[in-house]
Amino acid sequence: MRSGRVAEAISAGAAGAAIGGAFGSRLFGLGVPLAIVAGANGAISGWRGIYDWKAPTGVAAFVLDSTWAGVTTAAGVVANAVGLVQHNAGYAAALSERQNRHVYARGLQLRKGFATTFGNVVAGAGDLSRPRRAKLVTDHENVHAWQARWFGPAYPALYAGWLAGGAAAGAAVWATVRRDQPLFKIVESCAYYLNPFEWWAYSRDDHWPPSGLVGGLGWKQPAVQPFAARPASSASPGA
């Protein structure tokens, strides 16, 4: 098993560096940085066996992580580095192996109680023995991993742009029509919960509207059908 994972780490690292370098050189003139990121991701991911090489989605995840989604993959490499050196990161192999993602119970946490996805790395997942937290990974955070792959460098820009614009809009809403709620709750609702990427992920998780969203604001209906309502054979990751 160990020798197989070493071989997979070497192969995935070399392949990632090769295709990442070629992609970066041809389109962005960033061949060397992308080769380093894709090679590091391939080596770590191969060592841990996260990619499902037998499925088209697994191959697509690896190719996208190594090329188009290089910016968010770089964030994932950083998150993995934090998890590797953190004493109690709580790496969850059962939710990671051949699932096209890395999952940490703790790791690089930005906000207590909230999971955060950095490229193909889910951090801050919490107590994964609880079915709700495990479902948060499979039905919500995994959607973010695929959003990053599909939208590539536009994903962090669009997400951050909505956060900034939503925060400003939320402050204006609070100042003019919703003084019945704390400023933070209105801003959080507009900047975070109403972010279309979050609306999409919460809807897939069958969790719309989320409990933190201030009533009367934003989208009334789920953006898409939840995974739980779809036949297993028809559900594609994050779609």
Side-chain angles (χ1 to χ4, degrees):
M1 181 67 174
R2 183 176 295 276
S3 61
R5 286 293 173 83
V6 170
E8 184 174 346
I10 294 172
S11 299
I19 63 176
F23 179 84
S25 295
R26 183 174 295 273
L27 295 182
F28 304 110
L30 297 172
V32 172
L34 189 53
I36 292 171
V37 167
N41 172 70
I44 298 169
S45 299
W47 171 49
R48 284 180 164 163
I50 74 156
Y51 289 114
D52 184 3
W53 302 112
K54 296 180 180 180
T57 51
V59 176
F62 173 72
V63 172
L64 289 170
D65 286 348
S66 302
T67 55
W68 176 237
V71 172
T72 51
T73 299
V77 170
V78 172
N80 262 322
V82 172
L84 288 169
V85 300
Q86 192 177 64
H87 175 65
N88 60 343
Y91 184 72
L95 285 170
S96 304
E97 290 182 5
R98 307 308 174 200
Q99 302 298 312
N100 307 313
R101 61 177 179 251
H102 303 266
V103 180
Y104 293 90
R106 289 167 291 278
L108 182 57
Q109 292 179 276
L110 298 183
R111 182 178 177 187
K112 186 177 180 180
F114 281 71
T116 305
T117 297
F118 304 92
N120 58 22
V121 178
V122 179
D127 182 2
L128 292 167
S129 66
R130 295 167 51 196
R132 172 62 204 143
R133 298 304 292 188
K135 184 173 181 288
L136 176 68
V137 170
T138 60
D139 290 17
H140 181 118
E141 299 303 327
N142 196 57
V143 173
H144 289 318
W146 282 95
Q147 288 170 345
R149 288 167 176 147
W150 290 332
F151 287 88
Y155 175 69
L158 291 170
Y159 195 106
W162 186 280
L163 282 178
V173 168
W174 177 82
T176 56
V177 296
R178 290 305 302 267
R179 295 296 289 272
D180 60 313
Q181 294 287 334
L183 172 62
F184 175 79
K185 295 296 293 183
I186 298 294
V187 169
E188 179 184 50
S189 291
C190 294
Y192 170 68
Y193 287 112
L194 297 184
N195 186 316
F197 291 113
E198 294 297 342
W199 181 31
W200 180 355
Y202 275 104
S203 296
R204 279 298 192 213
D205 190 21
D206 199 14
H207 215 63
W208 190 266
S211 59
L213 176 65
V214 173
L217 292 178
W219 329 116
K220 307 302 181 184
Q221 300 297 324
V224 288
Q225 188 180 39
F227 282 130
R230 303 175 68 193
S233 60
S234 67
S236 60

